[in-house]
Amino acid sequence: MGHSHHHDDHCHGHSHSGGPDHHSHDHHSHDHGHSHDHHHVTLILSEQHFKVLRWVFGLTFIYLVVEVAGGVISGSLALLADGFHMFADAMGIGLSLFAAWLSHRPAPEHRTFGYQRVEILAAFFNALLLIGMGVFILYESFERFQNPEPIQANLMLMVAAGGLIVNIIAAKLLHQGHEHNLNMKGAYLHVLGDLLGSVGAIAAGGCIFFFDWRWADPLISCLISVLILFSALGLLKEAVNILLEGCPSHIDIEDIRREILTYDGIEDIHNLHVWNINMQRAVLTAHLEVTPEAFSGKTLNTVQQALKEKYGLSHVTLQLELP
């Protein structure tokens, strides 16, 4: 990341127009209203996320104790699986809360991007935790298929119904912010998986209560663990892409290349890099070869503003070069 900024300094006077090189905290004041407002929405949402996550954490933590106890007393693996999933949720949400708190801490001088990557690390560990839980429940389910155990279906049904209500409340709370923030998305995926898990546990309880189909319990447990693994792998893939400085999934790098080359006087483009700092902030750096007529701050400003607005980039650093 550092090399691009090092190059930028060479042509600071005539090609930078002051704006984008004033690092991430104040470059927004140079943009027009669009990205300025967007930045504020992100901050307000983050505080809102924090409150929502606290409520969901409290609800989930209390009910996971109830579900694990219910699973142990009733002998139901499906309830235990859902309880474990809720435990993973609580751990994940706890990590997210810590990350949200840390990312708002003032950054030390040597960390020029602050602690914004901490939330991505939290999402990464959260996903690994979920994968471990999923594999454990899958293993236990196969054991149960071979040796079915007696289950208190009425207790199982009551606890699963309670879990469903708690998960519906949590999903409603998390729904609003899950598209703009990877941790909120992680928490939302967990809760959706839990919600389906509770439906599954109710279905298994019903099968045992009315028909004495004991195999329904390990079968539903398998399905819950598959749900856990699917949501975890999606989250892991997204977090790893950000940690490896991959291009954000919603941005087509070739499209950006074509877009830049449509401007007058731009002959070629190289060293084009696009990456995410965190879920909300995408950054672009590039070297543009331009004709002598286009070698100006005007070209820079035009291309920068266009790229920010079209692709939702929060920071664009360009270096102009003569062929």
Side-chain angles (χ1 to χ4, degrees):
M1 275 194 276
H3 66 92
S4 308
H5 296 292
H6 172 70
H7 289 311
D8 295 338
D9 296 337
H10 292 307
C11 55
H12 194 226
H14 49 257
S15 74
H16 241 88
S17 68
D21 209 43
H22 285 52
H23 242 286
S24 43
H25 293 299
D26 37 85
H27 77 274
H28 283 280
S29 54
H30 299 279
D31 308 338
H32 19 108
H34 167 73
S35 36
H36 190 71
D37 293 345
H38 174 73
H39 184 61
H40 280 288
V41 167
T42 303
L43 284 177
I44 293 160
L45 270 177
S46 298
E47 284 168 33
Q48 205 177 328
H49 286 168
F50 198 69
K51 284 179 189 162
V52 168
L53 284 173
R54 268 198 317 213
W55 272 102
V56 174
F57 177 74
L59 272 173
T60 308
F61 193 80
I62 291 163
Y63 212 79
L64 85 87
V65 176
V66 174
E67 263 199 317
V68 170
V72 171
I73 296 164
S74 68
S76 164
L77 184 62
L79 265 190
L80 209 55
D82 208 31
F84 274 150
H85 195 186
M86 281 187 121
F87 171 73
D89 293 355
M91 284 286 287
I93 293 165
L95 276 172
S96 300
L97 282 169
F98 176 67
W101 171 77
L102 199 60
S103 67
H104 286 96
R105 305 283 297 155
E109 197 67 30
H110 64 286
R111 291 194 198 280
T112 55
F113 284 113
Y115 291 111
Q116 296 177 67
R117 274 286 165 85
V118 174
E119 67 172 325
I120 308 300
L121 283 174
F124 176 77
F125 287 117
N126 195 354
L128 291 181
L129 182 73
L130 274 175
I131 289 167
M133 294 277 181
V135 170
F136 173 73
I137 294 160
L138 214 49
Y139 171 77
E140 282 292 306
S141 304
F142 288 125
E143 292 279 299
R144 283 283 181 102
F145 271 120
Q146 290 158 334
N147 308 301
E149 290 182 19
I151 290 162
Q152 295 176 35
N154 51 355
L155 177 63
M156 180 183 173
L157 275 167
M158 284 193 303
V159 176
L164 182 64
I165 293 162
V166 167
N167 286 315
I168 288 171
I169 294 166
K172 275 198 172 300
L173 284 170
L174 288 165
H175 181 71
Q176 191 189 359
H178 82 281
E179 285 166 12
H180 304 289
N181 182 289
L182 197 55
N183 272 314
M184 292 295 277
K185 189 174 182 177
Y188 184 64
L189 282 174
H190 291 344
V191 168
L192 277 189
D194 261 343
L195 206 149
L196 291 168
S198 298
V199 171
I202 291 169
C207 287
I208 295 161
F209 190 75
F210 294 109
F211 310 109
D212 199 29
W213 291 347
R214 285 194 204 163
W215 50 262
D217 188 59
L219 178 70
I220 296 292
S221 306
C222 276
L223 293 176
I224 295 172
S225 63
V226 169
L227 275 173
I228 294 173
L229 290 168
F230 260 101
S231 64
L233 289 169
L235 188 62
L236 188 67
K237 187 180 164 194
E238 211 162 341
V240 166
N241 187 50
I242 292 177
L243 292 172
L244 292 178
E245 310 288 0
C247 183
S249 53
H250 65 284
I251 290 177
D252 180 348
I253 204 140
E254 283 309 310
D255 191 46
I256 289 183
R257 197 181 290 277
R258 285 191 295 270
E259 171 77 18
I260 292 172
L261 291 171
T262 60
Y263 290 92
D264 289 340
I266 296 177
E267 307 266 286
D268 196 15
I269 174 169
H270 56 275
N271 284 10
L272 172 60
H273 300 287
V274 188
W275 72 96
N276 269 107
I277 306 298
N278 60 20
M279 191 64 171
Q280 299 98 338
R281 300 190 58 204
V283 176
L284 179 147
T285 63
H287 291 209
L288 310 182
E289 279 190 20
V290 296
T291 58
E293 301 78 48
F295 195 77
S296 69
K298 185 170 179 288
T299 303
L300 263 178
N301 277 347
T302 309
V303 179
Q304 276 165 350
Q305 292 303 339
L307 291 176
K308 279 181 185 177
E309 294 193 8
K310 184 168 180 183
Y311 300 99
L313 298 161
S314 67
H315 192 85
V316 173
T317 304
L318 301 172
Q319 180 183 338
L320 300 187
E321 297 174 347
L322 293 169

